[in-house]
Each structure stands twice: as structure tokens, then as C-alpha cells.
Amino acid sequence: MEKIFYTLLGSLPIIARVTAGYAALTNRDGKRIKTVDSIGNEVIELKGVYYDLAKEAAQKEETVHGMSQLELGAETWCVPIGDYVLCCSNVERVSYSNALKQSLIDALPFIARVAGGEAVVFDSEGKRLASINSNGEMNAKFLGAISKDANEAMKKQKPVIGESNYISGASAVRIPMGKDFGFGFNNEDQIQKNNSLMNEMKKYQNVKYNFSDIIGKTKEIDRAKEVANIAAQSNSNVLIFGETGTGKEVFAQSIHNASNRFNKPFVAINCAAIPQNLMESSFFGYEDGAFTGAKKGGAPGVFEQANGGTLFLDEISEMHLDLQSKILRVLQEREVRRIGSQKEILLDIRVISASNKDLDKLVKEEKFRQDLFYRLNVLDINLPSLRYIRDDIPLLVNHAIRNMNITFGKFVEGIDEEALNILINYNWPGNVRELMNCIEKAFNIIGNGRIIKVEHLPRNIKENFNITDLNENGLDEMLQKYEKEIIEKALSINDGIKSKTADYLKISTTTLWRKMNQLNIESE
């Protein structure tokens, strides 16, 4: 037994070094005979101190595991061996880890200031333990919240670098400092300051949208932005085509803000929203007493209001023919006269028009003046429907999530694959506007959830996506069905004229005829 005793005593420094903590030998009553630290030095102050867990192990005649009383979070193990109990713990490793964690927490204000954003310390699950902004203030809003990227960093034990969940354009870094905790930082405050500077500059602009607000990387969007940028450097009139919800006014405002008229008025008028009897007074203005009910002192029309800047005529196709001729004269002569006045007011304006209807077709049907069409359509921009640029949907969704996190004060990290697949395959008759509405609805019902799931999507969108169609028909059949629908719609838009339809679809006439035969599309 004496040999065992000295063998156990001799093993204490080795055990302590391996466990990065204390190793102790006690008698069966739990009285410490000797305790050494991880570098092999005896801890004199613990000699003779009773250790309850060692006594418990001796009584049960089995190994006992518990938490150390010497350091929060440290573990200890006691193994009965004959008349003695061998004990070890990771108390020093945990003590070092806790000290490092506290040092990081103390350093967060400096890290946050240098990074230009929030600095955080999180636990093994990615849950925030401390958070400081770049002003050195505690950010208690999301303490206890689990970050998906922080959780991933702790699981992989590798740094994770990605985009901020809150501020578009900001980046965030999450770094594990072992298996128990990690720290991270972002540059959100710096980006917000830059955005504030941009917003300050926007005070000298009359509208809020810029080209940076147009999200998308498909060739169709790139082409539309390219033409819009060209238009911004010109004073020529612009005509924007696109279905409802494709962002026609966003493009119009972006052109205005990128032009040399950015600090001048931008006046938008929806031609479909004005009653017929108010059309002329809305456009041209009127003098005092010009008609019954005229405002005292008169009022300027939209041409006069937009003088020096940009006039945006939305839904131009809804303008009555009689008014079209008067609008044409104003654009030709570059002057306007109020109703009831003999005085001409010189104009310096650029007109941007928008339509969700085929003006070519309306001209042929004599529902829109050809000369006005040519006057408005100097530069034309075609905005694609969302169903034709499905690759941009994930970008739009992530952009919307970041913006709505700020609006709703939530911490939504993204959307799951199944829900995103439904959004990508939905037809989007309301285009980007409908998509933004869909994400906003999800935010209203997600509660404290972190990921948008199928259950959070509007019912009409979920019901529209039927995976059984794919299972029954297969991908080829579905693609053919979709291709047939596109060609039939293109034929309808172009009055069944094959050459125009081919140009519209950007294919040759021969290819169009071949596809019509393959898909059994009748030629009228």
C-alpha cells in the first residue's frame, strides 16, 4: 500500500499538467494529503483541506464527476484507489479561459472603436454574453441572442466572415477562442455613418432613391442600369417600360439623383389617378378666378413645379388624347401657360415617363399620339418582370431582410432553402413590390424566430407552388410548359407578328418557328 501511495503522489504533477488544472491525493475521508498545480508546484494552502467529492467517491467506491468549487465552470473527477482517492480538475485551464474571456470583454470598447462597429463575446452556442458599440456603450438589445454565424464558428472552430444581418454593405467577423467562447466584431457603425453622410447629401436631393438602391446582378438588370446611367448624363426625355411593381419610379428617381438636376425638383404625377376634369389644371396650373372653385391666387401645375428639374409622368398610357396634344405642345415649345393666363412661362425640365402597357400597340390603335410617343421615347429602358430574373430573388430577399430587421427591431438571419425555393418558383404578378410585401408579412408573424420558413409565407404563394407537379411531370415537361407560356404571351404582346416576337424574345425567326412547332403553338 505504501508503494501505491508514493506512486500516486508521483503521478500528481503529470496528471495536473495533462488536465491543465489541479491534481490531488486525499484519504477516504476526503482530507487532502497533497495538491499540485499544472506546473508541478504544491498548493500548500490546500493541504489538510477536506474535499467532499473525494469523500463521496470513496463511499460509493466509484469514479465521481462534479463541478469545481475553486473556479466557475471548472470540472473535477475523483477516483477511489484503495485507501486513497485520486482527484484532478481543469481548474487552471478554465481559470485562464475565464480570465481571457474577461480581458476580451474589458477590451470590447477598444475593439469596437477600431473596427467601427459592434464588438461581442459569445459562448459555445454563439449566444451573446457581452456587446459594445463603437461609442463604448453596452448594447443590451440582443444580449442572450444566438447568432447563426457565431454558432457556426464555434462548431467548426474556424473564423467565419460574412455580411452583417442588419446594415447593407457592412461585414462581420466571428472568431472562436477555444471551445467555450469566441468574439466577433463588425463595421456597422462606420457604414451607418457613411450612410448618414449619404442621407445628409440626400437632403439636397428631392427624392430618396439612387442606383445603389437597385438590387440585382442579372444581365437584364445590369442592362437597364447601364441605359439609366447613360440617361442620367443626358437631358433627353426617357420612357421606362415595365409591369406594375418592377420599380419604374425607383429608376426615375435614380436617374434624377445621378443627373445635374439632383438638387432641383422631382415632381411625380400618376396620370391614371387624376380625374379627367382636373387633368388640365393639374398639368398647367391656373390663375385666380380661372374657373368656378379655383383657388384664390391660383396654383402652379406640375410643369411649373418641376421647372429646372424632372417631371415623372407615371402610367402615361392613361392620359386622354385631348390632353396629349396639349402636353406635346408644351414639350415642343418648352413653355407653359396657366389656365386663364396670357403669360407664357419658359420651362427647363426633363420628362421621364413610365408605362406598363405597350405604347406601340396603343399608337397603332390610335389610343396614343404617335408624335407624343416619339417626343417621350428618346431613351427607352425596359425593366424585366421578376419571373424573368429569378436569379435576383435571393439578393432581393436578403436585402429586404436586412432592411426589415432595422424597421421591426428583429434579428432574422435569413430564409430556409424550402421557403426560398417557393419564392424563386412563384410567378410574381406583382413583381418586386409583391416580393417586398411577402417578406414584410413574414416579419409580422415570425415572432422571435430567426429563419423565415414556409409557414411564414402568404397562403396564396404557398398554394401556388405545388411540388407534386414536378414529381408527376418532371423537369423537362415543366420547362416546356413554361417556355410555351412565354412564347404565347410574347406573340400576344406583338400581335402575332413573328419577326417582332423573335426580336422581343431575342431569338431568330427560324428558332421561333421551330419552337412553335415543337410546342404545338398555333400560328394565327
Side-chain angles (χ1 to χ4, degrees), residues 29 67 73 97 105 140 189 199 201 248 264 282 297 325 328 356 367 389 456 481 495:
D29 291 329
M67 303 306 294
S97 178
I105 290 174
D189 291 346
N199 290 334
M201 291 175 64
K248 295 185 288 295
K264 297 296 188 344
S282 298
S325 61
L328 177 63
N356 59 8
K367 294 179 180 177
I389 51 170
H456 302 130
K481 178 182 176 183
D495 299 323

Side-chain angles (χ1 to χ4, degrees), residues 44 54 64 67 129 225 229 231 248 320 363 421 426 461 476:
I44 300 297
V64 175
M67 303 306 294
L129 303 176
K225 289 171 73 172
N229 270 292
K248 295 185 288 295
H320 195 272
V363 168
N421 190 38
Y426 180 63
I461 292 177
D476 288 341

Side-chain angles (χ1 to χ4, degrees), residues 307-326:
N307 206 1
T310 302
L311 176 61
F312 177 55
L313 304 177
D314 198 8
E315 297 195 54
I316 188 72
S317 59
E318 305 305 311
M319 185 182 290
H320 195 272
L321 277 170
D322 289 341
L323 183 60
Q324 289 179 29
S325 61
K326 297 176 181 178

Side-chain angles (χ1 to χ4, degrees), residues 132-145:
I132 302 290
N133 64 26
S134 61
N135 293 324
E137 301 167 341
M138 175 68 74
N139 182 7
K141 188 174 183 181
F142 295 115
L143 286 181

Side-chain angles (χ1 to χ4, degrees), residues 243-263:
E243 292 181 3
T244 299
T246 51
K248 295 185 288 295
E249 185 163 358
V250 174
F251 269 81
Q253 291 190 15
S254 299
I255 292 169
H256 174 82
N257 278 335
S259 74
N260 57 9
R261 299 176 182 268
F262 72 93
N263 58 347

Side-chain angles (χ1 to χ4, degrees), residues 378-412:
V378 179
L379 290 168
D380 63 287
I381 300 172
N382 289 286
L383 301 187
S385 305
L386 187 56
R387 59 187 172 276
Y388 298 136
I389 51 170
R390 297 177 189 272
D391 287 348
D392 282 336
I393 290 176
L395 295 175
L396 290 163
V397 169
N398 288 331
H399 179 75
I401 288 173
R402 281 195 295 269
N403 288 343
M404 290 182 194
N405 270 329
I406 298 171
T407 303
F408 286 82
K410 293 185 180 290
F411 198 66
V412 176

